[in-house]
């Protein structure tokens, strides 16, 4: 059947990768300290509660020492990324880097898990078409991504490991 809808399709596309964390590992983005960021969740309230608005500080995206009682939280930058790259840089300066089209995937969220969630020690940087984990949540804040009838949504992501 070749019928297509005449209605735009609201969607969220996100690359939610999980990286093994190490103490002192750092998520690095094209954002600057002082840029706007919001709390999606924070198990221990270190940065606040859902929807609290903060100013970004680099230490927010730095892996702490592992502990089963280590905090777990997710923060979302509220404005589009200036450039399409992010990295997790290890203390020995090795890195996992994603390069992508920031016009297609303009938003970045980062989940830091220092042990509280299921005893895991990981970082999950997320590049996305819209922020806030759901189209309806993004739309409440005036952000939409949609595919128009007959269109497609295509992009490339280059993942590299630098040692």
């Amino acid at each position: 059947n070749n019928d297509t809808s005449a209605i735009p399709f609201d969607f969220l596309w996100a690359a939610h990768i999980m990286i093994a964390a190490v103490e002192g590992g750092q998520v690095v983005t094209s954002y600057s300290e002082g840029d706007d960021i919001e709390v999606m969740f924070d198990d221990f309230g270190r940065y606040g509660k859902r929807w609290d608005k903060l100013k970004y500080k680099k230490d927010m995206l730095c892996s702490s020492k592992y502990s089963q009682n280590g905090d777990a939280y997710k923060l979302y930058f509220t404005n589009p990324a200036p450039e399409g790259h992010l990295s997790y840089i290890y203390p020995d300066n090795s890195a996992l880097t994603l390069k992508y089209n920031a016009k297609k995937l303009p938003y970045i969220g980062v989940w830091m898990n220092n042990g509280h969630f299921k005893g895991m020690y990981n970082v999950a940087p997320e590049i996305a078409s819209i922020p806030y984990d759901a189209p309806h949540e993004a739309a409440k804040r005036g952000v939409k991504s949609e595919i128009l009838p007959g269109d497609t949504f295509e992009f490339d992501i280059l993942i590299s490991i630098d040692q």
Side-chain angles (χ1 to χ4, degrees):
N1 185 348
N2 290 330
D3 291 342
T4 59
S5 173
I7 301 169
F9 177 73
D10 292 333
F11 77 103
L12 161 66
W13 190 93
H16 184 82
I17 63 171
M18 292 182 77
I19 302 168
V22 297
E23 185 176 356
Q26 175 81 42
V27 175
V28 176
T29 70
S30 60
Y31 292 98
S32 299
E33 284 198 312
D35 284 346
D36 295 330
I37 200 164
E38 285 189 27
V39 177
M40 291 301 299
F41 68 85
D42 186 345
D43 288 354
F44 298 140
R46 176 179 178 186
Y47 295 111
K49 60 186 183 316
R50 188 170 179 88
W51 308 130
D52 280 354
K53 295 173 182 5
L54 309 168
K55 295 295 181 184
Y56 168 60
K57 295 179 185 171
K58 289 182 182 181
D59 67 343
M60 293 173 162
L61 303 185
C62 186
S63 297
S64 301
K65 184 175 183 178
Y66 173 80
S67 165
Q68 286 190 345
N69 295 320
D71 202 0
Y73 55 90
K74 183 175 182 180
L75 307 172
Y76 240 110
F77 290 95
T78 60
N79 293 311
E83 297 176 24
H85 63 82
L86 69 78
S87 298
Y88 185 69
I89 301 176
Y90 292 86
D92 67 0
N93 287 321
S94 61
L96 184 137
T97 299
L98 281 73
K99 293 183 180 176
Y100 56 94
N101 182 336
K103 291 192 186 327
K104 293 272 188 161
L105 302 168
Y107 292 95
I108 295 177
V110 181
W111 171 36
M112 305 294 292
N113 180 26
N114 294 308
H116 185 251
F117 181 74
K118 297 185 179 183
M120 296 188 296
Y121 191 29
N122 64 280
V123 174
E126 177 178 289
I127 55 177
S129 60
I130 54 175
Y132 309 121
D133 292 339
H136 71 280
E137 292 293 351
K140 286 179 191 177
R141 290 159 185 79
V143 182
K144 291 183 77 169
S145 71
E146 60 185 13
I147 299 174
L148 299 175
D151 279 354
T152 59
F153 185 75
E154 296 180 14
F155 54 87
D156 292 313
I157 299 173
L158 175 66
I159 301 173
S160 63
I161 300 172
D162 303 307
Q163 297 182 341

